[in-house]
Amino acid sequence: MIRIAAATLFLAALGMPAHAQDAAAGEKVYVQCRACHQIGENAKNGVGPLLNGLFGRTAGTIEGYNYSDANKKSGIVWDEKVFAEYIQNPRAKIPGTKMIYAGLKDEKRIQDLIAFLKQFDKDGKKTAQ
């Protein structure tokens, strides 16, 4: 029993997600994002930049999108941890961003959204996860 508790604490300390990710549930969360962001093979920039290949990309670098100076100068490279922080409160993570979204607070929904977004490579093709 003590070993299980210690292992649980160890994994939590490593920053492992507390919830399993569910891409299908994340697609339902993405419905909120769709008003401004597109994803997939025919995605284009809109009110917000397209989200293809988000993870591993440097913030403010999608060609043809007019980013705020704050976003371009943030130095952020998107990964799961940074995105989770950002989506909870975009203006706190990047003061001066143009993104007006109030934030997604539910950790499970954030993890599901990440799973959905991770499916798309830079060309908008779905990859095996």
Short mmCIF file of all heavy atoms in Angstrom, two decimals, residues 10-38:
data_model
loop_
_atom_site.label_atom_id
_atom_site.label_comp_id
_atom_site.label_asym_id
_atom_site.label_seq_id
_atom_site.Cartn_x
_atom_site.Cartn_y
_atom_site.Cartn_z
N PHE A 10 5.15 10.04 -6.87
CA PHE A 10 6.27 10.21 -7.78
C PHE A 10 5.79 10.62 -9.17
O PHE A 10 6.31 11.56 -9.77
CB PHE A 10 7.08 8.91 -7.86
CG PHE A 10 8.22 8.97 -8.84
CD1 PHE A 10 9.36 9.70 -8.56
CD2 PHE A 10 8.14 8.32 -10.06
CE1 PHE A 10 10.41 9.77 -9.47
CE2 PHE A 10 9.18 8.37 -10.97
CZ PHE A 10 10.31 9.10 -10.67
N LEU A 11 4.78 9.93 -9.69
CA LEU A 11 4.25 10.27 -11.01
C LEU A 11 3.63 11.66 -11.01
O LEU A 11 3.79 12.42 -11.97
CB LEU A 11 3.22 9.23 -11.46
CG LEU A 11 3.80 7.86 -11.80
CD1 LEU A 11 2.67 6.87 -12.10
CD2 LEU A 11 4.78 7.93 -12.95
N ALA A 12 2.95 12.02 -9.95
CA ALA A 12 2.37 13.37 -9.86
C ALA A 12 3.47 14.42 -9.86
O ALA A 12 3.35 15.47 -10.49
CB ALA A 12 1.51 13.49 -8.61
N ALA A 13 4.56 14.14 -9.19
CA ALA A 13 5.68 15.09 -9.14
C ALA A 13 6.32 15.26 -10.51
O ALA A 13 6.87 16.31 -10.82
CB ALA A 13 6.72 14.62 -8.12
N LEU A 14 6.25 14.23 -11.34
CA LEU A 14 6.80 14.33 -12.70
C LEU A 14 5.91 15.14 -13.63
O LEU A 14 6.27 15.39 -14.77
CB LEU A 14 6.99 12.93 -13.29
CG LEU A 14 8.10 12.09 -12.70
CD1 LEU A 14 8.10 10.70 -13.32
CD2 LEU A 14 9.45 12.75 -12.91
N GLY A 15 4.73 15.50 -13.16
CA GLY A 15 3.83 16.28 -14.00
C GLY A 15 3.02 15.44 -14.96
O GLY A 15 2.57 15.91 -15.99
N MET A 16 2.85 14.18 -14.66
CA MET A 16 2.08 13.30 -15.52
C MET A 16 0.62 13.75 -15.47
O MET A 16 0.13 14.14 -14.43
CB MET A 16 2.17 11.84 -15.03
CG MET A 16 3.60 11.31 -14.99
SD MET A 16 4.41 11.29 -16.58
CE MET A 16 3.58 9.93 -17.34
N PRO A 17 -0.09 13.70 -16.59
CA PRO A 17 -1.49 14.09 -16.58
C PRO A 17 -2.29 13.25 -15.61
O PRO A 17 -2.10 12.04 -15.52
CB PRO A 17 -1.96 13.83 -18.02
CG PRO A 17 -0.73 13.68 -18.83
CD PRO A 17 0.37 13.29 -17.90
N ALA A 18 -3.17 13.88 -14.89
CA ALA A 18 -3.99 13.19 -13.91
C ALA A 18 -5.11 12.41 -14.58
O ALA A 18 -5.69 11.54 -13.97
CB ALA A 18 -4.56 14.19 -12.91
N HIS A 19 -5.43 12.74 -15.81
CA HIS A 19 -6.55 12.12 -16.51
C HIS A 19 -6.08 11.54 -17.83
O HIS A 19 -5.21 12.10 -18.48
CB HIS A 19 -7.64 13.17 -16.81
CG HIS A 19 -8.10 13.93 -15.62
ND1 HIS A 19 -8.96 13.40 -14.71
CD2 HIS A 19 -7.82 15.17 -15.18
CE1 HIS A 19 -9.20 14.28 -13.76
NE2 HIS A 19 -8.52 15.36 -14.02
N ALA A 20 -6.68 10.42 -18.20
CA ALA A 20 -6.42 9.87 -19.53
C ALA A 20 -7.02 10.81 -20.57
O ALA A 20 -8.06 11.42 -20.33
CB ALA A 20 -7.02 8.48 -19.64
N GLN A 21 -6.35 10.95 -21.69
CA GLN A 21 -6.84 11.83 -22.74
C GLN A 21 -7.80 11.08 -23.65
O GLN A 21 -7.58 9.92 -23.97
CB GLN A 21 -5.67 12.38 -23.55
CG GLN A 21 -4.77 13.28 -22.75
CD GLN A 21 -3.60 13.78 -23.57
OE1 GLN A 21 -3.10 13.10 -24.45
NE2 GLN A 21 -3.14 14.97 -23.26
N ASP A 22 -8.85 11.77 -24.08
CA ASP A 22 -9.89 11.20 -24.93
C ASP A 22 -10.12 12.14 -26.11
O ASP A 22 -10.76 13.19 -25.97
CB ASP A 22 -11.16 11.02 -24.11
CG ASP A 22 -12.32 10.41 -24.89
OD1 ASP A 22 -12.28 10.38 -26.14
OD2 ASP A 22 -13.27 9.96 -24.23
N ALA A 23 -9.57 11.79 -27.28
CA ALA A 23 -9.66 12.66 -28.46
C ALA A 23 -11.10 12.88 -28.91
O ALA A 23 -11.45 13.98 -29.34
CB ALA A 23 -8.83 12.09 -29.61
N ALA A 24 -11.95 11.86 -28.79
CA ALA A 24 -13.36 12.03 -29.19
C ALA A 24 -14.05 13.05 -28.30
O ALA A 24 -14.79 13.92 -28.78
CB ALA A 24 -14.09 10.69 -29.16
N ALA A 25 -13.79 13.00 -27.01
CA ALA A 25 -14.35 14.00 -26.09
C ALA A 25 -13.73 15.36 -26.39
O ALA A 25 -14.40 16.39 -26.30
CB ALA A 25 -14.10 13.59 -24.64
N GLY A 26 -12.45 15.38 -26.76
CA GLY A 26 -11.77 16.62 -27.09
C GLY A 26 -12.34 17.29 -28.32
O GLY A 26 -12.36 18.52 -28.42
N GLU A 27 -12.84 16.50 -29.25
CA GLU A 27 -13.48 17.08 -30.44
C GLU A 27 -14.72 17.87 -30.04
O GLU A 27 -15.01 18.92 -30.61
CB GLU A 27 -13.84 15.98 -31.43
CG GLU A 27 -14.38 16.50 -32.74
CD GLU A 27 -14.55 15.43 -33.80
OE1 GLU A 27 -14.41 14.23 -33.50
OE2 GLU A 27 -14.82 15.81 -34.96
N LYS A 28 -15.42 17.39 -29.03
CA LYS A 28 -16.60 18.11 -28.53
C LYS A 28 -16.19 19.41 -27.84
O LYS A 28 -16.87 20.42 -27.97
CB LYS A 28 -17.41 17.22 -27.59
CG LYS A 28 -18.05 16.05 -28.31
CD LYS A 28 -18.75 15.12 -27.37
CE LYS A 28 -19.28 13.93 -28.16
NZ LYS A 28 -19.62 12.81 -27.30
N VAL A 29 -15.07 19.40 -27.14
CA VAL A 29 -14.56 20.62 -26.51
C VAL A 29 -14.13 21.61 -27.58
O VAL A 29 -14.36 22.82 -27.47
CB VAL A 29 -13.37 20.31 -25.56
CG1 VAL A 29 -12.79 21.58 -24.98
CG2 VAL A 29 -13.79 19.34 -24.47
N TYR A 30 -13.55 21.11 -28.66
CA TYR A 30 -13.05 21.94 -29.76
C TYR A 30 -14.17 22.77 -30.41
O TYR A 30 -13.89 23.83 -30.98
CB TYR A 30 -12.34 21.08 -30.81
CG TYR A 30 -12.00 21.83 -32.06
CD1 TYR A 30 -10.95 22.74 -32.08
CD2 TYR A 30 -12.74 21.67 -33.22
CE1 TYR A 30 -10.65 23.46 -33.22
CE2 TYR A 30 -12.45 22.39 -34.37
CZ TYR A 30 -11.40 23.27 -34.36
OH TYR A 30 -11.11 24.00 -35.48
N VAL A 31 -15.40 22.36 -30.28
CA VAL A 31 -16.52 23.11 -30.86
C VAL A 31 -16.46 24.58 -30.43
O VAL A 31 -16.73 25.48 -31.22
CB VAL A 31 -17.88 22.46 -30.47
CG1 VAL A 31 -19.05 23.35 -30.82
CG2 VAL A 31 -18.01 21.10 -31.16
N GLN A 32 -16.03 24.84 -29.20
CA GLN A 32 -15.87 26.22 -28.73
C GLN A 32 -14.80 26.96 -29.51
O GLN A 32 -14.91 28.15 -29.76
CB GLN A 32 -15.44 26.25 -27.25
CG GLN A 32 -16.37 25.62 -26.27
CD GLN A 32 -15.72 25.60 -24.90
OE1 GLN A 32 -15.26 26.62 -24.41
NE2 GLN A 32 -15.67 24.43 -24.29
N CYS A 33 -13.75 26.26 -29.87
CA CYS A 33 -12.60 26.86 -30.54
C CYS A 33 -12.89 27.15 -32.01
O CYS A 33 -12.30 28.05 -32.61
CB CYS A 33 -11.40 25.90 -30.47
SG CYS A 33 -11.04 25.24 -28.84
N ARG A 34 -13.80 26.36 -32.57
CA ARG A 34 -14.08 26.40 -34.00
C ARG A 34 -14.58 27.76 -34.48
O ARG A 34 -14.44 28.09 -35.66
CB ARG A 34 -15.10 25.31 -34.33
CG ARG A 34 -15.10 24.89 -35.75
CD ARG A 34 -15.93 23.67 -36.02
NE ARG A 34 -17.25 23.78 -35.41
CZ ARG A 34 -18.03 22.75 -35.13
NH1 ARG A 34 -17.62 21.54 -35.38
NH2 ARG A 34 -19.20 22.93 -34.60
N ALA A 35 -15.13 28.57 -33.60
CA ALA A 35 -15.59 29.90 -34.00
C ALA A 35 -14.43 30.76 -34.52
O ALA A 35 -14.64 31.62 -35.37
CB ALA A 35 -16.27 30.60 -32.83
N CYS A 36 -13.23 30.49 -34.03
CA CYS A 36 -12.07 31.31 -34.41
C CYS A 36 -10.94 30.52 -35.07
O CYS A 36 -10.13 31.10 -35.80
CB CYS A 36 -11.50 32.00 -33.18
SG CYS A 36 -12.64 33.15 -32.39
N HIS A 37 -10.85 29.22 -34.79
CA HIS A 37 -9.72 28.41 -35.25
C HIS A 37 -10.20 27.24 -36.09
O HIS A 37 -11.16 26.57 -35.73
CB HIS A 37 -8.95 27.84 -34.05
CG HIS A 37 -8.34 28.88 -33.18
ND1 HIS A 37 -7.13 29.47 -33.46
CD2 HIS A 37 -8.77 29.43 -32.03
CE1 HIS A 37 -6.84 30.34 -32.50
NE2 HIS A 37 -7.83 30.34 -31.62
N GLN A 38 -9.46 26.95 -37.16
CA GLN A 38 -9.73 25.78 -37.99
C GLN A 38 -8.62 24.76 -37.82
O GLN A 38 -7.48 25.10 -37.46
CB GLN A 38 -9.84 26.18 -39.46
CG GLN A 38 -11.03 27.04 -39.78
CD GLN A 38 -11.15 27.33 -41.27
OE1 GLN A 38 -10.63 26.62 -42.11
NE2 GLN A 38 -11.87 28.40 -41.59
#
